[in-house]
Amino acid sequence: AVLMGYGPIYLLGCDLGYPAHFHPDYGGWDDFPATERDNTLRHMHSVIEKSSPARIYNASLGGTLEEHERVDLGRLL
């Protein structure tokens, strides 16, 4: 999205802790302990947050991803 000139970026449904809630094959993370998965994903989001030229916001309802500033989805819409 950034390479195409879009920004800011709003994340939806990035709640962590549920690696296979869309499909049983989603992500292939089932061989790793949940804490290792979440720590890896948090680290990736932290690197992305620090290196992205566009602001990234978490508009998900609930969840545990706090690496991006939270915004209220209702106010955005």
Side-chain angles (χ1 to χ4, degrees):
V2 172
L3 293 176
M4 296 172 64
Y6 293 100
I9 297 170
Y10 297 93
L11 303 176
L12 297 172
C14 292
D15 48 12
L16 300 182
Y18 302 97
H21 67 289
F22 292 111
H23 188 274
D25 296 333
Y26 177 75
W29 290 91
D30 291 334
D31 295 334
F32 297 95
T35 54
E36 185 176 340
R37 284 192 304 255
D38 286 355
N39 288 340
T40 299
L41 291 171
R42 281 189 179 91
H43 176 72
M44 291 168 51
H45 277 280
S46 178
V47 170
I48 291 167
E49 175 69 23
K50 292 174 184 173
S51 62
S52 176
R55 289 296 313 262
I56 302 172
Y57 298 98
N58 183 356
S60 299
L61 302 175
T64 62
L65 180 62
E66 301 301 335
E67 281 65 27
H68 308 287
E69 180 182 342
R70 285 200 177 256
V71 294
D72 185 339
L73 179 60
R75 290 182 182 222
L76 291 174
L77 302 175

